[in-house]
């Protein structure tokens, strides 16, 4: 019985590989480029003034564009980040320029431990959602490749939910 299952599994594996190659060759290069462009560009849609829908990108991250101090700042939504995390260069663009003495917090990142400067963002706007007095940290650019929209923003919402490759934010 096990031998028959192993043979059947092998046939399925070979067949699925052949089918994948066939389907790949049947798609035109321009259609492939368009599909990749759509997958690389998450779309934001405002269903109402207080609800925001984010589609995940090809890398399964949810990207959001926020307005802080009147300037546009791109973020990855990160439910595992306790606070909103800003790269130094983006923090400077919105008027936050901590001195070296302000880097009093030690944080662990994917690149190891680094120092961070605590900050408070007066207002963070994502679509029609506005959150006030948001705790944040500023990290050196080399410690972080993208800004993170963490729980200090998300926890002030009525709810957030992820299902079927979409994230819903509701205030």
């Amino acid at each position: 019985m096990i031998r028959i299952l192993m043979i059947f599994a092998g046939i399925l594996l070979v067949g699925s590989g052949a089918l994948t190659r066939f389907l790949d060759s049947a798609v035109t290069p321009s259609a492939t480029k368009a599909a990749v462009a759509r997958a690389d560009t998450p779309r934001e849609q405002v269903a109402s003034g207080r609800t925001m829908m984010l589609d995940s990108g090809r890398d399964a991250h949810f990207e959001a564009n926020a307005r802080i101090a009147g300037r546009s700042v791109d973020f990855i939504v990160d439910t595992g980040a306790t606070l909103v995390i800003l790269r130094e260069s983006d923090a400077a663009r919105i008027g936050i320029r901590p001195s070296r003495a302000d880097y009093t917090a030690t944080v662990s990142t994917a690149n190891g431990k680094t120092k961070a400067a605590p900050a408070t963002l007066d207002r963070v706007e994502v679509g029609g959602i506005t959150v006030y007095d948001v705790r944040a940290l500023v990290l050196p650019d080399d410690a972080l490749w993208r800004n993170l929209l963490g729980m200090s923003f998300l926890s002030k919402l009525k709810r957030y939910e992820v299902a079927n490759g979409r994230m819903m934010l509701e205030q």
Side-chain angles (χ1 to χ4, degrees), residues 9-81:
I11 291 169
L12 282 176
L13 185 62
V14 170
S16 66
L19 181 61
T20 302
R21 282 192 300 280
F22 171 75
L23 290 175
D24 283 345
S25 67
V27 176
T28 64
S30 61
T32 302
K33 286 179 187 174
V36 168
R38 283 192 304 275
D40 284 342
T41 310
R43 296 169 307 280
E44 296 180 4
Q45 300 175 0
V46 178
S48 73
R50 311 282 288 189
T51 301
M52 179 85 176
M53 296 298 289
L54 304 171
D55 289 337
S56 66
R58 195 171 69 178
D59 58 2
H61 289 117
F62 294 96
E63 298 180 18
N65 181 270
R67 292 201 60 79
I68 303 171
R71 295 220 172 13
S72 178
V73 181
D74 290 325
F75 285 93
I76 296 258
V77 181
D78 187 350
T79 59

Side-chain angles (χ1 to χ4, degrees), residues 7-159:
I7 292 171
F8 183 69
I11 291 169
L12 282 176
L13 185 62
V14 170
S16 66
L19 181 61
T20 302
R21 282 192 300 280
F22 171 75
L23 290 175
D24 283 345
S25 67
V27 176
T28 64
S30 61
T32 302
K33 286 179 187 174
V36 168
R38 283 192 304 275
D40 284 342
T41 310
R43 296 169 307 280
E44 296 180 4
Q45 300 175 0
V46 178
S48 73
R50 311 282 288 189
T51 301
M52 179 85 176
M53 296 298 289
L54 304 171
D55 289 337
S56 66
R58 195 171 69 178
D59 58 2
H61 289 117
F62 294 96
E63 298 180 18
N65 181 270
R67 292 201 60 79
I68 303 171
R71 295 220 172 13
S72 178
V73 181
D74 290 325
F75 285 93
I76 296 258
V77 181
D78 187 350
T79 59
T82 305
L83 303 174
V84 168
I85 310 295
L86 291 167
R87 300 177 77 233
E88 273 180 325
S89 57
D90 289 311
R93 267 190 330 103
I94 62 172
I96 299 172
R97 293 179 183 84
S99 69
R100 287 293 145 213
D102 293 328
Y103 286 78
T104 57
T106 301
V107 296
S108 294
T109 70
N111 296 330
K113 290 188 178 196
T114 190
K115 289 291 193 178
T120 299
L121 307 172
D122 292 333
R123 180 171 67 193
V124 178
E125 299 171 87
V126 178
I129 296 171
T130 303
V131 175
Y132 296 92
D133 298 319
V134 178
R135 292 180 39 225
L137 289 174
V138 176
L139 270 66
D141 284 356
D142 61 355
L144 192 66
W145 67 283
R146 299 285 298 270
N147 299 306
L148 305 177
L149 193 61
M151 292 304 296
S152 60
F153 173 85
L154 295 170
S155 66
K156 293 187 176 197
L157 299 177
K158 180 178 179 181
R159 69 183 177 128

